[in-house]
């Protein structure tokens, strides 16, 4: 029997990309999964993939909404516990960037965009985690945050995104140190380029997105960009106490080797 059989999991931002791939993997392992996103059509597609992976209809809860909305965050946790009776794992995956001011220097971009990036990538993580903790204490559960290697790069096209993504790293460490006292493990995964529609969602064209991924694949030591399932497997590992109990406040860099490349000797 899988560790996740009958476990209850929330995966934010699961209507596409990493969140979808992760939700499907949890469903395949027998978990009861709450999936959520802002697009009803793509959220239905995620549900269908979960069902195709072996989940029962009654074990998938769809909740349409925006995680930056405080009332929705409360609804997300409450509805999950009301339907399934508990909560074992919270995956804070939802996040994103903006192409509105791509390429501008950090001091040339309106502060309003910084606020937007913080709302989308930081505040909602804290808010949903606060709501989830009382339930995770009862199950000795886990929180897995999804950040980005942008947290540690000079990300010229998206400086506010990089700044916002640095916060979840420290949040993971602070939460881990605090919550382990209550039996809750907190860890994070920081992906590099992953083949999703996130660039288009941020305001780019499909052609711009394809060009970015093609370029990334050419410079990655692995020889390809990641796919959602690559990151989903790491998330499941971090959430699985039977395999990763010793990991507390750990930040897994999942970037196909980009972080080991030298700026001075890029071909080495």
């Amino acid at each position: 029997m899988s560790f996740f059989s009958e476990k209850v999991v929330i995966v934010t931002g699961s209507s596409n990309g990493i969140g979808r791939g992760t939700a499907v993997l949890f469903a395949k392992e027998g978990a009861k999964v709450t999936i959520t996103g802002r697009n009803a059509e793509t959220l239905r597609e995620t549900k269908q993939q979960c069902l195709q992976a072996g989940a029962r209809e009654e074990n998938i809860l769809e909740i349409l909404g925006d995680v930056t909305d405080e009332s929705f965050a409360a609804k997300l946790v409450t509805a999950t516990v009301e339907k399934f009776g508990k909560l074992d794992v919270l995956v804070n995956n939802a996040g994103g960037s903006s192409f509105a001011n791509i390429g501008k220097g950090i001091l040339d971009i309106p502060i309003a965009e910084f606020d937007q990036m913080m709302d989308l990538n930081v505040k909602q993580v804290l808010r949903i985690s606060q709501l989830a903790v009382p339930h995770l204490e009862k199950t000795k559960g886990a929180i897995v945050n999804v950040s980005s290697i942008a947290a540690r790069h000079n990300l010229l096209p998206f400086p506010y995104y990089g700044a916002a993504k640095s916060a979840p790293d420290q949040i993971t460490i602070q939460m881990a140190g605090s919550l382990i006292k209550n039996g809750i493990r907190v860890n994070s995964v920081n992906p590099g380029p992953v083949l999703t529609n996130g660039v288009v969602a941020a305001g780019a064209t499909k052609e711009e997105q394809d060009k970015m991924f093609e370029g990334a694949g050419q410079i990655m030591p692995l020889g390809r960009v990641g796919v959602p399932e690559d990151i989903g497997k790491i998330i499941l590992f971090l959430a699985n106490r039977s395999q990763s109990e010793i990991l507390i406040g750990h930040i897994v860099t999942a970037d196909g080797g980009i972080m080991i490349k030298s700026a001075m000797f890029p071909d080495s």
Side-chain angles (χ1 to χ4, degrees):
M1 180 179 293
S2 165
F3 175 84
F4 295 111
S5 180
E6 300 301 310
K7 294 288 195 297
V8 177
V9 182
I10 294 174
V11 182
T12 67
S14 41
S15 58
N16 54 61
I18 292 171
R20 171 181 287 177
T22 301
V24 171
L25 288 174
F26 273 118
K28 186 176 181 179
E29 292 294 315
K32 300 176 181 180
V33 187
T34 295
I35 57 175
T36 181
R38 294 175 294 181
N39 185 302
E41 181 179 353
T42 56
L43 194 60
R44 283 194 296 270
E45 291 172 0
T46 298
K47 180 177 181 179
Q48 286 306 310
Q49 291 189 24
C50 289
L51 296 177
Q52 290 168 10
R56 298 195 302 271
E57 178 88 24
E58 63 269 23
N59 286 347
I60 304 298
L61 174 62
E62 298 172 82
I63 306 182
L64 187 68
D66 185 344
V67 291
T68 64
D69 182 331
E70 291 189 37
S71 62
F72 176 73
K75 174 184 176 182
L76 179 64
V77 175
T78 300
T80 297
V81 175
E82 286 180 350
K83 179 173 177 60
F84 297 128
K86 62 174 183 171
L87 178 62
D88 296 281
V89 178
L90 169 63
V91 180
N92 285 311
N93 167 74
S97 185
S98 171
F99 266 66
N101 292 284
I102 183 172
K104 292 184 180 180
I106 188 169
L107 299 181
D108 297 320
I109 302 174
I111 296 298
E113 183 172 305
F114 178 76
D115 292 336
Q116 177 192 6
M117 290 297 95
M118 293 298 287
D119 286 342
L120 182 56
N121 294 288
V122 183
K123 292 181 182 178
Q124 55 90 8
V125 171
L126 287 168
R127 187 177 296 120
I128 296 173
S129 297
Q130 286 178 338
L131 294 165
V133 160
H135 306 287
L136 293 171
E137 286 181 354
K138 297 175 183 178
T139 59
K140 306 302 180 186
I143 296 174
V144 182
N145 297 321
V146 181
S147 183
S148 169
I149 62 168
R152 285 172 280 168
H153 276 281
N154 178 18
L155 199 67
L156 290 176
F158 315 103
Y160 285 160
Y161 175 72
K165 281 301 187 183
S166 67
D169 284 1
Q170 187 58 219
I171 287 170
T172 292
I173 293 168
Q174 298 300 329
M175 286 173 57
S178 174
L179 296 181
I180 191 59
K181 300 170 186 176
N182 301 323
I184 302 171
R185 296 185 312 114
V186 184
N187 292 287
S188 174
V189 57
N190 287 24
V194 177
L195 195 60
T196 72
N197 70 341
V199 180
V200 170
T205 65
K206 178 66 163 56
E207 291 72 22
E208 288 173 323
Q209 176 173 275
D210 291 344
K211 185 177 180 180
M212 288 183 66
F213 283 133
E214 181 181 357
Q218 290 174 353
I219 66 171
M220 291 174 70
L222 181 62
R224 66 170 176 85
V225 297
V227 295
E229 290 74 17
D230 290 327
I231 310 304
K233 291 174 184 177
I234 298 171
I235 292 171
L236 264 69
F237 170 73
L238 293 174
N240 187 335
R241 183 180 287 271
S242 72
Q243 294 184 359
S244 61
E245 184 173 34
I246 197 68
L247 298 182
I248 308 295
H250 197 71
I251 298 172
V252 178
T253 298
D255 66 351
I258 284 180
M259 294 288 284
I260 66 171
K261 289 182 69 69
S262 168
M264 291 182 64
F265 305 103
D267 295 327
S268 61

